[in-house]
Amino acid sequence: MSEDYLLLEHGSGGRAAQRLIRDLFLPHFANPVLERMDDAAYLEAGPGALAMSTDGYTVDPVEFPGGDIGCLAVHGTVNDVSMLGARPLYLSCAFIMEEGLPLSLLERLARSMGKAARAAGVLIVTGDTKVVPRGAADKIFIVSTGIGRILAEPAPGGARAAVGDAVLVSGQVGEHGLTILTAREGIRGFAGLRSDCASLNHLVEALIREIGNIHVLRDPTRGGLATALGEIAVQSGTVCRVRERDVPVRAETAAACSLLGLDPLYLANEGKLICILPAAKAEAALTVLRRFPEGRAAACIGTIEAPGAGTRSGQTVLETAPGGRRLLPILEGEPLPRIC
Amino acid sequence: MSEDYLLLEHGSGGRAAQRLIRDLFLPHFANPVLERMDDAAYLEAGPGALAMSTDGYTVDPVEFPGGDIGCLAVHGTVNDVSMLGARPLYLSCAFIMEEGLPLSLLERLARSMGKAARAAGVLIVTGDTKVVPRGAADKIFIVSTGIGRILAEPAPGGARAAVGDAVLVSGQVGEHGLTILTAREGIRGFAGLRSDCASLNHLVEALIREIGNIHVLRDPTRGGLATALGEIAVQSGTVCRVRERDVPVRAETAAACSLLGLDPLYLANEGKLICILPAAKAEAALTVLRRFPEGRAAACIGTIEAPGAGTRSGQTVLETAPGGRRLLPILEGEPLPRIC
């Protein structure tokens, strides 16, 4: 590209926009569906039901240890589609960008998106670019929408958590939220922190193929593990009991949380999943998860129970390491804006 | 809603976000797919190929004569899906909103989106809300993504324009762009101007069912009719010849354009389509289009030709009313940012 900064006409549907798309995005997203460049993409999707999910990404800073807003927009939406027990196939990406954005940054983000899409095995098939005047948006927002083919019937869903089920998590929690917080605020001294952002579709497909009958899959993003479990308890009318000592937390995360007064159970994750399934299948599911680099630290962290003495439907109860008990409420709001 | 203004926690994945979605959006978007509230929507799509399209809406002002950013986000994406000869079925919507946005405005936009979706016969099946701090975005941006079922094979596409084809337009051009420009700049004295924004899927379906073999469908949004025709000429390696006297332009539009020094051929439309098909079918197609309120002023405005004396592949030539000729280049950039 000869231009160094994004101009208003790059988002305006004319020649400059076409050049931006052809020269900057297409080389990284290359696939025959996208290259048709019509108003809509023509997709072969095969028979059966579909999953569709959309997410807006507004993370600040746009580049952070372990990732950037580009790969996050791929991983996050791939994961949301996967959580319905689906194989993600196609992504669309809409960019809302601020005039003056360095094209070198945009190129890095496009490369990162292309790499993430190839790793997940999905095609970016259609997109849109809008440029708003300086000050009308902060750098770049990306909205990605994914569609996939449902692999399991009935599809996993929050309402299907059943009394007696085991609650698994695929790895250590809290890393993405902590990384964004420390990167944005310029908090130093936690050099080991990196976002966990990763696509989990390969783990999900292995779970479904080898284990079957997964009741719930959920990626604990905003609000963290505690909020995701709370939502599942509400959707299913059950109580979720979690053993604190079994929740995997990396030593660096625990140390930083302790110093900063944060709870890793409430920090966002972008490469972790919760899997709830009949307890008899828990060990086999852990074995599957641990085969993948992203699932090496998978653990069984709790159980689904009926409301009973001292608990109400929709609650999540934490058995603390010292032997106490406390409720884990759903967050009123994620304490950190623009976490993803 | 008890709150009057949007807060950061409304976009943060916790209880406040759930309340916003349940109390403000769901009543207007109501359908059983959306109400499951899982990470992804479960869709029945039937057999055959799909069309997928995404668009970001950043229009300023967010409410304007004839529409608002909410219904525009439905109409625009319904139309993009339709242009591939598809029946739009499902929409996703992602909202990126500025802290402090009045909830009453958001409620009006949600109502407008719900109404537009019902009119088009599509379901809003999944969504996302993000709230960014004051100043990080200007009021509200919406990204909608649509999927639909391809009705015609081969699907219409810009590359299929063929020598001898007729070029139709479904109605008067330039109204959306002119309305936004005058509304934003506070230009008074043009009281009759209204955006034409409307969903065209019912027109497209009737064309395909009753006429068949449509070569190209395209909605001339940013860059207007002239830019859309130019893109088709490039994609198909042909020349598009347009008769200025046959291009429908409302009298109010022509008068305002004349006063403001604007060309209606380059102003955005949000409820018009270009239809290119074998000339022998042009009259029948016009009869179909004119049955619909949105197509009452449909007209045949030109032909697709081979490059020849004085023309090159990819050019659009305007035969002006006084008997002259001029080229209609593709815009370098839409002159007006945030038109849609």
Side-chain angles (χ1 to χ4, degrees):
Chain A
M1 309 283 298
S2 59
E3 307 95 338
D4 292 318
Y5 295 95
L6 199 66
L7 307 172
L8 280 174
E9 54 256 48
H10 280 126
S12 307
R15 282 192 198 280
Q18 287 175 5
R19 257 198 325 270
L20 182 78
I21 293 166
R22 280 184 206 280
D23 296 348
L24 196 145
F25 290 107
L26 279 188
H28 300 295
F29 297 178
N31 67 71
V33 184
L34 181 62
E35 282 152 18
R36 265 179 67 136
M37 299 275 286
D38 272 317
D39 281 333
Y42 177 98
L43 308 178
E44 306 283 359
L50 299 174
M52 180 181 198
S53 188
T54 194
D55 242 327
Y57 298 86
T58 64
V59 65
D60 170 34
V62 297
E63 298 179 293
F64 46 81
D68 54 56
I69 193 172
C71 69
L72 195 60
V74 173
H75 295 313
T77 296
V78 160
N79 290 345
D80 278 343
V81 170
S82 301
M83 295 307 129
L84 208 61
R87 176 187 297 162
L89 299 171
Y90 302 112
L91 287 188
S92 67
C93 295
F95 299 84
I96 295 173
M97 300 175 284
E98 184 182 16
E99 178 188 17
L101 191 76
L103 291 182
S104 55
L105 168 60
L106 194 54
E107 169 108 44
R108 287 198 301 278
L109 298 178
R111 181 181 299 120
S112 172
M113 294 180 77
K115 189 177 159 200
R118 284 188 297 278
V122 298
L123 298 181
I124 297 173
V125 292
T126 190
D128 182 52
T129 56
K130 291 288 190 313
V131 182
V132 296
R134 214 178 280 265
D138 186 15
K139 295 188 274 297
I140 180 168
F141 304 138
I142 304 177
V143 172
S144 58
T145 306
I147 63 176
R149 175 66 54 202
I150 301 271
L151 298 171
E153 296 280 5
R160 294 187 59 215
V163 173
D165 280 358
V167 179
L168 315 185
V169 66
S170 64
Q172 296 106 335
V173 300
E175 291 158 23
H176 179 76
L178 193 60
T179 302
I180 298 303
L181 178 107
T182 52
R184 189 187 314 164
E185 306 302 330
I187 302 173
R188 299 179 178 277
F190 303 115
L193 295 181
R194 286 171 62 83
S195 168
D196 61 336
C197 72
S199 288
L200 300 171
N201 55 321
H202 302 305
L203 280 71
V204 167
E205 196 156 339
L207 278 176
I208 287 171
R209 203 174 47 237
E210 300 180 37
I211 307 297
N213 200 21
I214 311 291
H215 289 169
V216 186
L217 291 169
R218 183 73 49 100
D219 56 336
T221 55
R222 290 181 287 180
L225 181 69
T227 296
L229 291 175
E231 288 169 2
I232 294 165
V234 169
Q235 283 181 294
S236 56
T238 61
V239 169
C240 181
R241 184 175 299 274
V242 178
R243 299 175 300 269
E244 187 173 34
R245 68 173 181 282
D246 292 335
V247 177
V249 180
R250 211 179 282 274
E252 297 95 312
T253 308
C257 280
S258 174
L259 272 167
L260 298 169
L262 298 168
D263 184 345
L265 300 182
Y266 283 98
L267 291 174
N269 309 278
E270 290 291 345
K272 297 293 156 19
L273 61 82
I274 296 166
C275 170
I276 299 179
L277 78 178
K281 297 182 166 195
E283 272 309 312
L286 287 173
T287 303
V288 169
L289 288 170
R290 288 174 184 152
R291 278 211 316 263
F292 293 85
E294 300 84 1
R296 203 165 291 144
C300 179
I301 62 169
T303 53
I304 300 295
E305 299 182 354
T311 58
R312 286 203 319 277
S313 158
Q315 287 184 328
T316 301
V317 180
L318 185 73
E319 294 184 354
T320 58
R325 271 184 48 177
R326 64 180 170 98
L327 290 179
L328 293 179
I330 294 177
L331 273 198
E332 176 63 21
E334 158 70 45
L336 198 62
R338 303 185 64 187
I339 193 77
C340 61
Chain B
M1 310 281 299
S2 60
E3 307 95 336
D4 292 318
Y5 296 95
L6 199 66
L7 308 172
L8 279 174
E9 54 256 48
H10 280 127
S12 307
R15 281 192 198 281
Q18 287 176 5
R19 256 198 325 271
L20 182 79
I21 293 166
R22 280 184 205 279
D23 297 348
L24 196 145
F25 290 107
L26 279 189
H28 300 294
F29 297 177
N31 67 69
V33 184
L34 182 62
E35 282 153 16
R36 265 179 67 136
M37 299 276 285
D38 271 317
D39 281 332
Y42 177 98
L43 308 178
E44 306 283 358
L50 298 174
M52 180 181 199
S53 188
T54 195
D55 242 329
Y57 298 87
T58 63
V59 65
D60 170 34
V62 297
E63 298 181 292
F64 46 81
D68 55 55
I69 193 172
C71 70
L72 195 61
V74 174
H75 295 315
T77 296
V78 160
N79 290 345
D80 277 343
V81 170
S82 301
M83 295 308 129
L84 207 61
R87 176 186 296 162
L89 299 171
Y90 302 112
L91 287 188
S92 66
C93 296
F95 299 85
I96 295 173
M97 301 176 284
E98 185 182 15
E99 179 189 17
L101 191 76
L103 291 182
S104 55
L105 168 60
L106 194 54
E107 170 107 42
R108 288 198 300 280
L109 298 178
R111 180 180 299 119
S112 171
M113 293 180 78
K115 189 177 160 202
R118 285 189 297 279
V122 297
L123 299 180
I124 297 172
V125 291
T126 190
D128 183 52
T129 56
K130 291 288 189 313
V131 182
V132 297
R134 215 178 280 265
D138 185 15
K139 296 190 273 298
I140 181 169
F141 303 138
I142 304 178
V143 172
S144 57
T145 307
I147 64 176
R149 175 65 54 201
I150 301 272
L151 299 171
E153 296 280 5
R160 294 187 58 217
V163 173
D165 280 357
V167 179
L168 316 184
V169 67
S170 64
Q172 297 106 334
V173 299
E175 291 158 24
H176 178 76
L178 194 59
T179 302
I180 299 302
L181 178 107
T182 53
R184 189 189 312 166
E185 306 301 331
I187 302 172
R188 299 179 178 278
F190 303 115
L193 295 181
R194 286 171 62 83
S195 168
D196 61 337
C197 72
S199 286
L200 301 171
N201 54 322
H202 302 306
L203 281 72
V204 167
E205 196 156 340
L207 279 176
I208 287 172
R209 204 175 46 238
E210 300 178 38
I211 307 298
N213 200 21
I214 311 290
H215 289 168
V216 186
L217 291 169
R218 182 73 50 102
D219 57 336
T221 55
R222 291 181 287 179
L225 181 69
T227 296
L229 291 175
E231 287 169 1
I232 293 165
V234 169
Q235 283 182 294
S236 57
T238 62
V239 169
C240 181
R241 183 176 300 274
V242 178
R243 298 176 298 270
E244 187 172 35
R245 67 174 183 282
D246 292 335
V247 177
V249 181
R250 210 178 282 275
E252 297 95 313
T253 307
C257 280
S258 174
L259 272 166
L260 298 170
L262 298 168
D263 184 344
L265 300 182
Y266 282 98
L267 290 173
N269 309 277
E270 290 292 344
K272 298 294 157 14
L273 61 81
I274 296 165
C275 171
I276 298 178
L277 78 180
K281 297 183 165 193
E283 271 310 312
L286 287 172
T287 303
V288 170
L289 288 171
R290 288 173 184 152
R291 277 211 318 263
F292 293 85
E294 300 84 0
R296 204 165 290 144
C300 179
I301 61 168
T303 53
I304 299 296
E305 300 181 353
T311 57
R312 285 204 320 277
S313 158
Q315 286 184 328
T316 301
V317 179
L318 185 73
E319 295 184 353
T320 59
R325 272 184 49 178
R326 63 179 170 98
L327 290 180
L328 293 179
I330 295 177
L331 274 198
E332 175 63 22
E334 158 71 44
L336 200 61
R338 302 185 65 186
I339 193 78
C340 61

